[in-house]
Amino acid sequence: NAGVTQTPKFQVLKTGQSMTLQCAQDMNHNSMYWYRQDPGMGLRLIYYSASEGTTDKGEVPNGYNVSRLNKREFSLRLESAAPSQTSVYFCASSVLAGTYNEQFFGPGTRLTVL
Amino acid sequence: AQSVTQLGSHVSVSEGALVLLRCNYSSSVPPYLFWYVQYPNQGLQLLLKYTSAATLVKGINGFEAEFKKSETSFHLTKPSAHMSDAAEYFCAVSDRSGGSNYKLTFGKGTLLTVNP
């Protein structure tokens, strides 16, 4: 199993450019998540998909959109990148084991917006 | 809303010394609690989790954590630090209530440095 994979690993954008971050999992998990990590801020939830066909906003959704393409794939789109979106982005997935939520993380995408 | 506080953004220990990383949560109902580790330039890896079974939870790499309801704490410990333990550690909480039990709230992280 590859687990959770993310592409690309690194990306540099200019302000105003758009891009899509891709995430896929091969663990047959129902739920998927996008986080951003900034120094001293921990991980903050951008969007999540509790199950295929549903998406919801997290703590910091402004400037982002998501698509749950199928059960395996969950993409994050920046329509018009801003320097404030410079961050490391992590995708995660989980299956609710009983009632608790153990999340598995991808390796991350380092995004710089100039 | 759930919140997690990690006391100390940076902890430095000598190799062989006790590691203690502190985590306190805010919740009227004991939540599910997790510790994750992040090595440089990598994603997060689960160290251990508390899901209301034993209050002393053992994880990977010799780490353990004790859930103390009276103190609303879930501190992470390791008796003897190894150089390979140098990483950033995150405490996270998952609410038990209703439809929000699939969301995790993370602390801001504690960077552990191990000195030779």
mmCIF file with all atom_site columns, all heavy atoms in Angstrom, chain A residues 33 37 40 48 90 99-103 106 110, chain B residues 32 34 36 38 41 46 49 51 90 101-102 108:
data_model
loop_
_atom_site.group_PDB
_atom_site.id
_atom_site.type_symbol
_atom_site.label_atom_id
_atom_site.label_alt_id
_atom_site.label_comp_id
_atom_site.label_asym_id
_atom_site.label_entity_id
_atom_site.label_seq_id
_atom_site.pdbx_PDB_ins_code
_atom_site.Cartn_x
_atom_site.Cartn_y
_atom_site.Cartn_z
_atom_site.occupancy
_atom_site.B_iso_or_equiv
_atom_site.pdbx_formal_charge
_atom_site.auth_seq_id
_atom_site.auth_comp_id
_atom_site.auth_asym_id
_atom_site.auth_atom_id
_atom_site.pdbx_PDB_model_num
ATOM 1   N N   . TYR A 1 33  ? -9.180  14.844 4.088  1.00 0.00 ? 33  TYR A N   1
ATOM 2   C CA  . TYR A 1 33  ? -8.992  16.165 4.685  1.00 0.00 ? 33  TYR A CA  1
ATOM 3   C C   . TYR A 1 33  ? -7.843  16.902 3.992  1.00 0.00 ? 33  TYR A C   1
ATOM 4   O O   . TYR A 1 33  ? -6.894  16.274 3.528  1.00 0.00 ? 33  TYR A O   1
ATOM 5   C CB  . TYR A 1 33  ? -8.613  16.035 6.170  1.00 0.00 ? 33  TYR A CB  1
ATOM 6   C CG  . TYR A 1 33  ? -9.477  15.078 6.942  1.00 0.00 ? 33  TYR A CG  1
ATOM 7   C CD1 . TYR A 1 33  ? -9.239  13.707 6.879  1.00 0.00 ? 33  TYR A CD1 1
ATOM 8   C CD2 . TYR A 1 33  ? -10.540 15.537 7.711  1.00 0.00 ? 33  TYR A CD2 1
ATOM 9   C CE1 . TYR A 1 33  ? -10.044 12.812 7.555  1.00 0.00 ? 33  TYR A CE1 1
ATOM 10  C CE2 . TYR A 1 33  ? -11.341 14.644 8.402  1.00 0.00 ? 33  TYR A CE2 1
ATOM 11  C CZ  . TYR A 1 33  ? -11.090 13.288 8.317  1.00 0.00 ? 33  TYR A CZ  1
ATOM 12  O OH  . TYR A 1 33  ? -11.889 12.406 8.998  1.00 0.00 ? 33  TYR A OH  1
ATOM 13  N N   . GLN A 1 37  ? -0.069  23.830 7.080  1.00 0.00 ? 37  GLN A N   1
ATOM 14  C CA  . GLN A 1 37  ? 0.804   23.936 8.238  1.00 0.00 ? 37  GLN A CA  1
ATOM 15  C C   . GLN A 1 37  ? 1.696   25.153 8.085  1.00 0.00 ? 37  GLN A C   1
ATOM 16  O O   . GLN A 1 37  ? 2.438   25.271 7.102  1.00 0.00 ? 37  GLN A O   1
ATOM 17  C CB  . GLN A 1 37  ? 1.681   22.678 8.390  1.00 0.00 ? 37  GLN A CB  1
ATOM 18  C CG  . GLN A 1 37  ? 2.563   22.726 9.629  1.00 0.00 ? 37  GLN A CG  1
ATOM 19  C CD  . GLN A 1 37  ? 3.433   21.494 9.763  1.00 0.00 ? 37  GLN A CD  1
ATOM 20  O OE1 . GLN A 1 37  ? 3.810   20.860 8.803  1.00 0.00 ? 37  GLN A OE1 1
ATOM 21  N NE2 . GLN A 1 37  ? 3.739   21.132 11.009 1.00 0.00 ? 37  GLN A NE2 1
ATOM 22  N N   . GLY A 1 40  ? 4.555   27.654 13.887 1.00 0.00 ? 40  GLY A N   1
ATOM 23  C CA  . GLY A 1 40  ? 3.942   28.125 15.120 1.00 0.00 ? 40  GLY A CA  1
ATOM 24  C C   . GLY A 1 40  ? 2.424   28.071 15.151 1.00 0.00 ? 40  GLY A C   1
ATOM 25  O O   . GLY A 1 40  ? 1.816   28.497 16.135 1.00 0.00 ? 40  GLY A O   1
ATOM 26  N N   . TYR A 1 48  ? -12.811 19.400 4.385  1.00 0.00 ? 48  TYR A N   1
ATOM 27  C CA  . TYR A 1 48  ? -12.839 17.968 4.579  1.00 0.00 ? 48  TYR A CA  1
ATOM 28  C C   . TYR A 1 48  ? -14.016 17.367 3.816  1.00 0.00 ? 48  TYR A C   1
ATOM 29  O O   . TYR A 1 48  ? -14.968 18.067 3.445  1.00 0.00 ? 48  TYR A O   1
ATOM 30  C CB  . TYR A 1 48  ? -12.899 17.601 6.064  1.00 0.00 ? 48  TYR A CB  1
ATOM 31  C CG  . TYR A 1 48  ? -14.130 18.080 6.792  1.00 0.00 ? 48  TYR A CG  1
ATOM 32  C CD1 . TYR A 1 48  ? -15.217 17.240 6.976  1.00 0.00 ? 48  TYR A CD1 1
ATOM 33  C CD2 . TYR A 1 48  ? -14.188 19.371 7.311  1.00 0.00 ? 48  TYR A CD2 1
ATOM 34  C CE1 . TYR A 1 48  ? -16.341 17.674 7.644  1.00 0.00 ? 48  TYR A CE1 1
ATOM 35  C CE2 . TYR A 1 48  ? -15.307 19.808 7.988  1.00 0.00 ? 48  TYR A CE2 1
ATOM 36  C CZ  . TYR A 1 48  ? -16.376 18.965 8.161  1.00 0.00 ? 48  TYR A CZ  1
ATOM 37  O OH  . TYR A 1 48  ? -17.501 19.405 8.828  1.00 0.00 ? 48  TYR A OH  1
ATOM 38  N N   . PHE A 1 90  ? -1.042  19.455 3.665  1.00 0.00 ? 90  PHE A N   1
ATOM 39  C CA  . PHE A 1 90  ? -1.116  18.028 3.926  1.00 0.00 ? 90  PHE A CA  1
ATOM 40  C C   . PHE A 1 90  ? -2.521  17.528 3.647  1.00 0.00 ? 90  PHE A C   1
ATOM 41  O O   . PHE A 1 90  ? -3.515  18.149 4.031  1.00 0.00 ? 90  PHE A O   1
ATOM 42  C CB  . PHE A 1 90  ? -0.768  17.717 5.385  1.00 0.00 ? 90  PHE A CB  1
ATOM 43  C CG  . PHE A 1 90  ? 0.691   17.875 5.695  1.00 0.00 ? 90  PHE A CG  1
ATOM 44  C CD1 . PHE A 1 90  ? 1.154   19.011 6.318  1.00 0.00 ? 90  PHE A CD1 1
ATOM 45  C CD2 . PHE A 1 90  ? 1.588   16.884 5.348  1.00 0.00 ? 90  PHE A CD2 1
ATOM 46  C CE1 . PHE A 1 90  ? 2.495   19.171 6.597  1.00 0.00 ? 90  PHE A CE1 1
ATOM 47  C CE2 . PHE A 1 90  ? 2.945   17.031 5.626  1.00 0.00 ? 90  PHE A CE2 1
ATOM 48  C CZ  . PHE A 1 90  ? 3.390   18.179 6.249  1.00 0.00 ? 90  PHE A CZ  1
ATOM 49  N N   . THR A 1 99  ? -16.005 4.892  16.859 1.00 0.00 ? 99  THR A N   1
ATOM 50  C CA  . THR A 1 99  ? -16.420 6.292  16.851 1.00 0.00 ? 99  THR A CA  1
ATOM 51  C C   . THR A 1 99  ? -15.245 7.254  16.877 1.00 0.00 ? 99  THR A C   1
ATOM 52  O O   . THR A 1 99  ? -15.449 8.449  16.892 1.00 0.00 ? 99  THR A O   1
ATOM 53  C CB  . THR A 1 99  ? -17.325 6.607  18.052 1.00 0.00 ? 99  THR A CB  1
ATOM 54  O OG1 . THR A 1 99  ? -16.629 6.234  19.241 1.00 0.00 ? 99  THR A OG1 1
ATOM 55  C CG2 . THR A 1 99  ? -18.624 5.851  17.954 1.00 0.00 ? 99  THR A CG2 1
ATOM 56  N N   . TYR A 1 100 ? -14.010 6.754  16.898 1.00 0.00 ? 100 TYR A N   1
ATOM 57  C CA  . TYR A 1 100 ? -12.907 7.700  16.897 1.00 0.00 ? 100 TYR A CA  1
ATOM 58  C C   . TYR A 1 100 ? -12.258 7.762  15.520 1.00 0.00 ? 100 TYR A C   1
ATOM 59  O O   . TYR A 1 100 ? -12.489 6.929  14.663 1.00 0.00 ? 100 TYR A O   1
ATOM 60  C CB  . TYR A 1 100 ? -11.871 7.363  17.967 1.00 0.00 ? 100 TYR A CB  1
ATOM 61  C CG  . TYR A 1 100 ? -11.085 6.097  17.716 1.00 0.00 ? 100 TYR A CG  1
ATOM 62  C CD1 . TYR A 1 100 ? -9.943  6.100  16.936 1.00 0.00 ? 100 TYR A CD1 1
ATOM 63  C CD2 . TYR A 1 100 ? -11.491 4.904  18.285 1.00 0.00 ? 100 TYR A CD2 1
ATOM 64  C CE1 . TYR A 1 100 ? -9.226  4.940  16.714 1.00 0.00 ? 100 TYR A CE1 1
ATOM 65  C CE2 . TYR A 1 100 ? -10.774 3.738  18.068 1.00 0.00 ? 100 TYR A CE2 1
ATOM 66  C CZ  . TYR A 1 100 ? -9.638  3.762  17.282 1.00 0.00 ? 100 TYR A CZ  1
ATOM 67  O OH  . TYR A 1 100 ? -8.946  2.617  17.076 1.00 0.00 ? 100 TYR A OH  1
ATOM 68  N N   . ASN A 1 101 ? -11.460 8.766  15.336 1.00 0.00 ? 101 ASN A N   1
ATOM 69  C CA  . ASN A 1 101 ? -10.997 9.140  13.999 1.00 0.00 ? 101 ASN A CA  1
ATOM 70  C C   . ASN A 1 101 ? -9.482  9.153  13.955 1.00 0.00 ? 101 ASN A C   1
ATOM 71  O O   . ASN A 1 101 ? -8.871  10.119 14.355 1.00 0.00 ? 101 ASN A O   1
ATOM 72  C CB  . ASN A 1 101 ? -11.554 10.527 13.657 1.00 0.00 ? 101 ASN A CB  1
ATOM 73  C CG  . ASN A 1 101 ? -11.081 11.029 12.333 1.00 0.00 ? 101 ASN A CG  1
ATOM 74  O OD1 . ASN A 1 101 ? -10.499 10.297 11.549 1.00 0.00 ? 101 ASN A OD1 1
ATOM 75  N ND2 . ASN A 1 101 ? -11.318 12.288 12.061 1.00 0.00 ? 101 ASN A ND2 1
ATOM 76  N N   . GLU A 1 102 ? -8.863  8.102  13.466 1.00 0.00 ? 102 GLU A N   1
ATOM 77  C CA  . GLU A 1 102 ? -7.415  8.052  13.305 1.00 0.00 ? 102 GLU A CA  1
ATOM 78  C C   . GLU A 1 102 ? -7.089  8.454  11.880 1.00 0.00 ? 102 GLU A C   1
ATOM 79  O O   . GLU A 1 102 ? -7.509  7.789  10.932 1.00 0.00 ? 102 GLU A O   1
ATOM 80  C CB  . GLU A 1 102 ? -6.882  6.661  13.603 1.00 0.00 ? 102 GLU A CB  1
ATOM 81  C CG  . GLU A 1 102 ? -5.381  6.535  13.436 1.00 0.00 ? 102 GLU A CG  1
ATOM 82  C CD  . GLU A 1 102 ? -4.888  5.143  13.737 1.00 0.00 ? 102 GLU A CD  1
ATOM 83  O OE1 . GLU A 1 102 ? -5.590  4.403  14.453 1.00 0.00 ? 102 GLU A OE1 1
ATOM 84  O OE2 . GLU A 1 102 ? -3.801  4.790  13.245 1.00 0.00 ? 102 GLU A OE2 1
ATOM 85  N N   . GLN A 1 103 ? -6.349  9.528  11.733 1.00 0.00 ? 103 GLN A N   1
ATOM 86  C CA  . GLN A 1 103 ? -6.042  10.052 10.411 1.00 0.00 ? 103 GLN A CA  1
ATOM 87  C C   . GLN A 1 103 ? -4.640  9.654  9.975  1.00 0.00 ? 103 GLN A C   1
ATOM 88  O O   . GLN A 1 103 ? -3.706  9.620  10.781 1.00 0.00 ? 103 GLN A O   1
ATOM 89  C CB  . GLN A 1 103 ? -6.193  11.577 10.392 1.00 0.00 ? 103 GLN A CB  1
ATOM 90  C CG  . GLN A 1 103 ? -7.639  12.014 10.614 1.00 0.00 ? 103 GLN A CG  1
ATOM 91  C CD  . GLN A 1 103 ? -7.854  13.495 10.445 1.00 0.00 ? 103 GLN A CD  1
ATOM 92  O OE1 . GLN A 1 103 ? -6.991  14.211 9.941  1.00 0.00 ? 103 GLN A OE1 1
ATOM 93  N NE2 . GLN A 1 103 ? -9.018  13.973 10.843 1.00 0.00 ? 103 GLN A NE2 1
ATOM 94  N N   . GLY A 1 106 ? -0.425  12.269 4.202  1.00 0.00 ? 106 GLY A N   1
ATOM 95  C CA  . GLY A 1 106 ? 0.497   12.228 3.087  1.00 0.00 ? 106 GLY A CA  1
ATOM 96  C C   . GLY A 1 106 ? 1.775   12.980 3.412  1.00 0.00 ? 106 GLY A C   1
ATOM 97  O O   . GLY A 1 106 ? 1.897   13.573 4.478  1.00 0.00 ? 106 GLY A O   1
ATOM 98  N N   . ARG A 1 110 ? 4.902   21.475 -0.573 1.00 0.00 ? 110 ARG A N   1
ATOM 99  C CA  . ARG A 1 110 ? 5.428   22.791 -0.161 1.00 0.00 ? 110 ARG A CA  1
ATOM 100 C C   . ARG A 1 110 ? 5.137   23.791 -1.264 1.00 0.00 ? 110 ARG A C   1
ATOM 101 O O   . ARG A 1 110 ? 5.654   23.666 -2.376 1.00 0.00 ? 110 ARG A O   1
ATOM 102 C CB  . ARG A 1 110 ? 6.928   22.711 0.088  1.00 0.00 ? 110 ARG A CB  1
ATOM 103 C CG  . ARG A 1 110 ? 7.281   21.877 1.275  1.00 0.00 ? 110 ARG A CG  1
ATOM 104 C CD  . ARG A 1 110 ? 8.775   21.881 1.559  1.00 0.00 ? 110 ARG A CD  1
ATOM 105 N NE  . ARG A 1 110 ? 9.038   21.126 2.781  1.00 0.00 ? 110 ARG A NE  1
ATOM 106 C CZ  . ARG A 1 110 ? 8.986   21.634 4.006  1.00 0.00 ? 110 ARG A CZ  1
ATOM 107 N NH1 . ARG A 1 110 ? 8.714   22.907 4.159  1.00 0.00 ? 110 ARG A NH1 1
ATOM 108 N NH2 . ARG A 1 110 ? 9.230   20.884 5.058  1.00 0.00 ? 110 ARG A NH2 1
ATOM 109 N N   . TYR B 2 32  ? -11.389 11.892 22.434 1.00 0.00 ? 32  TYR B N   1
ATOM 110 C CA  . TYR B 2 32  ? -10.337 10.999 21.966 1.00 0.00 ? 32  TYR B CA  1
ATOM 111 C C   . TYR B 2 32  ? -9.084  11.853 21.771 1.00 0.00 ? 32  TYR B C   1
ATOM 112 O O   . TYR B 2 32  ? -9.163  12.972 21.267 1.00 0.00 ? 32  TYR B O   1
ATOM 113 C CB  . TYR B 2 32  ? -10.737 10.350 20.644 1.00 0.00 ? 32  TYR B CB  1
ATOM 114 C CG  . TYR B 2 32  ? -12.002 9.543  20.730 1.00 0.00 ? 32  TYR B CG  1
ATOM 115 C CD1 . TYR B 2 32  ? -13.146 9.943  20.051 1.00 0.00 ? 32  TYR B CD1 1
ATOM 116 C CD2 . TYR B 2 32  ? -12.055 8.387  21.485 1.00 0.00 ? 32  TYR B CD2 1
ATOM 117 C CE1 . TYR B 2 32  ? -14.315 9.217  20.132 1.00 0.00 ? 32  TYR B CE1 1
ATOM 118 C CE2 . TYR B 2 32  ? -13.225 7.649  21.576 1.00 0.00 ? 32  TYR B CE2 1
ATOM 119 C CZ  . TYR B 2 32  ? -14.352 8.072  20.901 1.00 0.00 ? 32  TYR B CZ  1
ATOM 120 O OH  . TYR B 2 32  ? -15.512 7.351  20.992 1.00 0.00 ? 32  TYR B OH  1
ATOM 121 N N   . PHE B 2 34  ? -4.789  12.102 20.661 1.00 0.00 ? 34  PHE B N   1
ATOM 122 C CA  . PHE B 2 34  ? -3.762  11.528 19.800 1.00 0.00 ? 34  PHE B CA  1
ATOM 123 C C   . PHE B 2 34  ? -2.452  12.312 19.967 1.00 0.00 ? 34  PHE B C   1
ATOM 124 O O   . PHE B 2 34  ? -2.469  13.518 20.213 1.00 0.00 ? 34  PHE B O   1
ATOM 125 C CB  . PHE B 2 34  ? -4.172  11.622 18.323 1.00 0.00 ? 34  PHE B CB  1
ATOM 126 C CG  . PHE B 2 34  ? -5.513  11.011 18.013 1.00 0.00 ? 34  PHE B CG  1
ATOM 127 C CD1 . PHE B 2 34  ? -6.679  11.719 18.249 1.00 0.00 ? 34  PHE B CD1 1
ATOM 128 C CD2 . PHE B 2 34  ? -5.597  9.740  17.467 1.00 0.00 ? 34  PHE B CD2 1
ATOM 129 C CE1 . PHE B 2 34  ? -7.920  11.160 17.956 1.00 0.00 ? 34  PHE B CE1 1
ATOM 130 C CE2 . PHE B 2 34  ? -6.832  9.175  17.172 1.00 0.00 ? 34  PHE B CE2 1
ATOM 131 C CZ  . PHE B 2 34  ? -7.995  9.884  17.419 1.00 0.00 ? 34  PHE B CZ  1
ATOM 132 N N   . TYR B 2 36  ? 0.907   12.817 17.474 1.00 0.00 ? 36  TYR B N   1
ATOM 133 C CA  . TYR B 2 36  ? 1.532   12.575 16.175 1.00 0.00 ? 36  TYR B CA  1
ATOM 134 C C   . TYR B 2 36  ? 2.969   13.107 16.226 1.00 0.00 ? 36  TYR B C   1
ATOM 135 O O   . TYR B 2 36  ? 3.258   14.080 16.930 1.00 0.00 ? 36  TYR B O   1
ATOM 136 C CB  . TYR B 2 36  ? 0.790   13.308 15.060 1.00 0.00 ? 36  TYR B CB  1
ATOM 137 C CG  . TYR B 2 36  ? -0.490  12.652 14.606 1.00 0.00 ? 36  TYR B CG  1
ATOM 138 C CD1 . TYR B 2 36  ? -1.691  12.904 15.268 1.00 0.00 ? 36  TYR B CD1 1
ATOM 139 C CD2 . TYR B 2 36  ? -0.512  11.805 13.497 1.00 0.00 ? 36  TYR B CD2 1
ATOM 140 C CE1 . TYR B 2 36  ? -2.878  12.320 14.837 1.00 0.00 ? 36  TYR B CE1 1
ATOM 141 C CE2 . TYR B 2 36  ? -1.691  11.226 13.062 1.00 0.00 ? 36  TYR B CE2 1
ATOM 142 C CZ  . TYR B 2 36  ? -2.863  11.482 13.728 1.00 0.00 ? 36  TYR B CZ  1
ATOM 143 O OH  . TYR B 2 36  ? -4.033  10.894 13.295 1.00 0.00 ? 36  TYR B OH  1
ATOM 144 N N   . GLN B 2 38  ? 6.239   14.408 13.659 1.00 0.00 ? 38  GLN B N   1
ATOM 145 C CA  . GLN B 2 38  ? 6.611   14.832 12.313 1.00 0.00 ? 38  GLN B CA  1
ATOM 146 C C   . GLN B 2 38  ? 8.120   14.988 12.245 1.00 0.00 ? 38  GLN B C   1
ATOM 147 O O   . GLN B 2 38  ? 8.682   15.887 12.882 1.00 0.00 ? 38  GLN B O   1
ATOM 148 C CB  . GLN B 2 38  ? 5.928   16.151 11.941 1.00 0.00 ? 38  GLN B CB  1
ATOM 149 C CG  . GLN B 2 38  ? 6.209   16.590 10.520 1.00 0.00 ? 38  GLN B CG  1
ATOM 150 C CD  . GLN B 2 38  ? 5.540   17.913 10.173 1.00 0.00 ? 38  GLN B CD  1
ATOM 151 O OE1 . GLN B 2 38  ? 5.344   18.776 11.021 1.00 0.00 ? 38  GLN B OE1 1
ATOM 152 N NE2 . GLN B 2 38  ? 5.179   18.074 8.907  1.00 0.00 ? 38  GLN B NE2 1
ATOM 153 N N   . ASN B 2 41  ? 10.699  17.488 7.079  1.00 0.00 ? 41  ASN B N   1
ATOM 154 C CA  . ASN B 2 41  ? 10.278  17.359 5.675  1.00 0.00 ? 41  ASN B CA  1
ATOM 155 C C   . ASN B 2 41  ? 9.440   16.108 5.416  1.00 0.00 ? 41  ASN B C   1
ATOM 156 O O   . ASN B 2 41  ? 9.473   15.554 4.305  1.00 0.00 ? 41  ASN B O   1
ATOM 157 C CB  . ASN B 2 41  ? 11.499  17.360 4.753  1.00 0.00 ? 41  ASN B CB  1
ATOM 158 C CG  . ASN B 2 41  ? 12.287  18.647 4.879  1.00 0.00 ? 41  ASN B CG  1
ATOM 159 O OD1 . ASN B 2 41  ? 11.709  19.731 4.875  1.00 0.00 ? 41  ASN B OD1 1
ATOM 160 N ND2 . ASN B 2 41  ? 13.592  18.544 5.020  1.00 0.00 ? 41  ASN B ND2 1
ATOM 161 N N   . LEU B 2 46  ? 1.260   8.723  13.338 1.00 0.00 ? 46  LEU B N   1
ATOM 162 C CA  . LEU B 2 46  ? 0.620   8.507  14.636 1.00 0.00 ? 46  LEU B CA  1
ATOM 163 C C   . LEU B 2 46  ? 1.576   7.804  15.592 1.00 0.00 ? 46  LEU B C   1
ATOM 164 O O   . LEU B 2 46  ? 2.133   6.750  15.272 1.00 0.00 ? 46  LEU B O   1
ATOM 165 C CB  . LEU B 2 46  ? -0.647  7.673  14.458 1.00 0.00 ? 46  LEU B CB  1
ATOM 166 C CG  . LEU B 2 46  ? -1.441  7.431  15.737 1.00 0.00 ? 46  LEU B CG  1
ATOM 167 C CD1 . LEU B 2 46  ? -2.084  8.740  16.214 1.00 0.00 ? 46  LEU B CD1 1
ATOM 168 C CD2 . LEU B 2 46  ? -2.522  6.371  15.513 1.00 0.00 ? 46  LEU B CD2 1
ATOM 169 N N   . LYS B 2 49  ? -2.678  6.707  20.665 1.00 0.00 ? 49  LYS B N   1
ATOM 170 C CA  . LYS B 2 49  ? -4.009  7.295  20.778 1.00 0.00 ? 49  LYS B CA  1
ATOM 171 C C   . LYS B 2 49  ? -4.699  6.808  22.054 1.00 0.00 ? 49  LYS B C   1
ATOM 172 O O   . LYS B 2 49  ? -4.458  5.690  22.518 1.00 0.00 ? 49  LYS B O   1
ATOM 173 C CB  . LYS B 2 49  ? -4.868  6.934  19.566 1.00 0.00 ? 49  LYS B CB  1
ATOM 174 C CG  . LYS B 2 49  ? -5.062  5.445  19.334 1.00 0.00 ? 49  LYS B CG  1
ATOM 175 C CD  . LYS B 2 49  ? -5.870  5.201  18.068 1.00 0.00 ? 49  LYS B CD  1
ATOM 176 C CE  . LYS B 2 49  ? -6.089  3.706  17.817 1.00 0.00 ? 49  LYS B CE  1
ATOM 177 N NZ  . LYS B 2 49  ? -4.896  3.066  17.222 1.00 0.00 ? 49  LYS B NZ  1
ATOM 178 N N   . THR B 2 51  ? -8.482  6.137  23.476 1.00 0.00 ? 51  THR B N   1
ATOM 179 C CA  . THR B 2 51  ? -9.862  6.005  23.001 1.00 0.00 ? 51  THR B CA  1
ATOM 180 C C   . THR B 2 51  ? -10.758 5.444  24.101 1.00 0.00 ? 51  THR B C   1
ATOM 181 O O   . THR B 2 51  ? -11.732 4.749  23.815 1.00 0.00 ? 51  THR B O   1
ATOM 182 C CB  . THR B 2 51  ? -9.926  5.094  21.773 1.00 0.00 ? 51  THR B CB  1
ATOM 183 O OG1 . THR B 2 51  ? -9.380  3.813  22.123 1.00 0.00 ? 51  THR B OG1 1
ATOM 184 C CG2 . THR B 2 51  ? -9.151  5.664  20.620 1.00 0.00 ? 51  THR B CG2 1
ATOM 185 N N   . PHE B 2 90  ? 2.905   16.705 17.826 1.00 0.00 ? 90  PHE B N   1
ATOM 186 C CA  . PHE B 2 90  ? 1.606   17.368 17.859 1.00 0.00 ? 90  PHE B CA  1
ATOM 187 C C   . PHE B 2 90  ? 0.607   16.549 18.662 1.00 0.00 ? 90  PHE B C   1
ATOM 188 O O   . PHE B 2 90  ? 0.464   15.350 18.438 1.00 0.00 ? 90  PHE B O   1
ATOM 189 C CB  . PHE B 2 90  ? 1.055   17.546 16.447 1.00 0.00 ? 90  PHE B CB  1
ATOM 190 C CG  . PHE B 2 90  ? 1.836   18.507 15.606 1.00 0.00 ? 90  PHE B CG  1
ATOM 191 C CD1 . PHE B 2 90  ? 2.857   18.053 14.777 1.00 0.00 ? 90  PHE B CD1 1
ATOM 192 C CD2 . PHE B 2 90  ? 1.554   19.863 15.626 1.00 0.00 ? 90  PHE B CD2 1
ATOM 193 C CE1 . PHE B 2 90  ? 3.591   18.937 13.998 1.00 0.00 ? 90  PHE B CE1 1
ATOM 194 C CE2 . PHE B 2 90  ? 2.276   20.753 14.855 1.00 0.00 ? 90  PHE B CE2 1
ATOM 195 C CZ  . PHE B 2 90  ? 3.295   20.285 14.044 1.00 0.00 ? 90  PHE B CZ  1
ATOM 196 N N   . ASN B 2 101 ? -17.298 14.054 15.125 1.00 0.00 ? 101 ASN B N   1
ATOM 197 C CA  . ASN B 2 101 ? -16.257 13.183 15.656 1.00 0.00 ? 101 ASN B CA  1
ATOM 198 C C   . ASN B 2 101 ? -15.232 12.787 14.615 1.00 0.00 ? 101 ASN B C   1
ATOM 199 O O   . ASN B 2 101 ? -14.303 12.054 14.910 1.00 0.00 ? 101 ASN B O   1
ATOM 200 C CB  . ASN B 2 101 ? -16.865 11.935 16.301 1.00 0.00 ? 101 ASN B CB  1
ATOM 201 C CG  . ASN B 2 101 ? -17.658 11.115 15.309 1.00 0.00 ? 101 ASN B CG  1
ATOM 202 O OD1 . ASN B 2 101 ? -17.884 11.546 14.189 1.00 0.00 ? 101 ASN B OD1 1
ATOM 203 N ND2 . ASN B 2 101 ? -18.080 9.953  15.710 1.00 0.00 ? 101 ASN B ND2 1
ATOM 204 N N   . TYR B 2 102 ? -15.390 13.270 13.373 1.00 0.00 ? 102 TYR B N   1
ATOM 205 C CA  . TYR B 2 102 ? -14.366 12.965 12.390 1.00 0.00 ? 102 TYR B CA  1
ATOM 206 C C   . TYR B 2 102 ? -13.366 14.105 12.241 1.00 0.00 ? 102 TYR B C   1
ATOM 207 O O   . TYR B 2 102 ? -12.477 14.039 11.434 1.00 0.00 ? 102 TYR B O   1
ATOM 208 C CB  . TYR B 2 102 ? -15.012 12.667 11.035 1.00 0.00 ? 102 TYR B CB  1
ATOM 209 C CG  . TYR B 2 102 ? -16.150 13.584 10.713 1.00 0.00 ? 102 TYR B CG  1
ATOM 210 C CD1 . TYR B 2 102 ? -15.913 14.860 10.227 1.00 0.00 ? 102 TYR B CD1 1
ATOM 211 C CD2 . TYR B 2 102 ? -17.466 13.189 10.908 1.00 0.00 ? 102 TYR B CD2 1
ATOM 212 C CE1 . TYR B 2 102 ? -16.947 15.708 9.949  1.00 0.00 ? 102 TYR B CE1 1
ATOM 213 C CE2 . TYR B 2 102 ? -18.513 14.048 10.629 1.00 0.00 ? 102 TYR B CE2 1
ATOM 214 C CZ  . TYR B 2 102 ? -18.255 15.303 10.155 1.00 0.00 ? 102 TYR B CZ  1
ATOM 215 O OH  . TYR B 2 102 ? -19.283 16.151 9.883  1.00 0.00 ? 102 TYR B OH  1
ATOM 216 N N   . LYS B 2 108 ? -0.362  23.463 18.617 1.00 0.00 ? 108 LYS B N   1
ATOM 217 C CA  . LYS B 2 108 ? 0.583   24.180 17.760 1.00 0.00 ? 108 LYS B CA  1
ATOM 218 C C   . LYS B 2 108 ? 1.910   23.463 17.604 1.00 0.00 ? 108 LYS B C   1
ATOM 219 O O   . LYS B 2 108 ? 2.757   23.893 16.812 1.00 0.00 ? 108 LYS B O   1
ATOM 220 C CB  . LYS B 2 108 ? 0.808   25.587 18.297 1.00 0.00 ? 108 LYS B CB  1
ATOM 221 C CG  . LYS B 2 108 ? -0.452  26.446 18.211 1.00 0.00 ? 108 LYS B CG  1
ATOM 222 C CD  . LYS B 2 108 ? -0.178  27.864 18.671 1.00 0.00 ? 108 LYS B CD  1
ATOM 223 C CE  . LYS B 2 108 ? -1.467  28.620 18.820 1.00 0.00 ? 108 LYS B CE  1
ATOM 224 N NZ  . LYS B 2 108 ? -1.990  29.206 17.695 1.00 0.00 ? 108 LYS B NZ  1
#
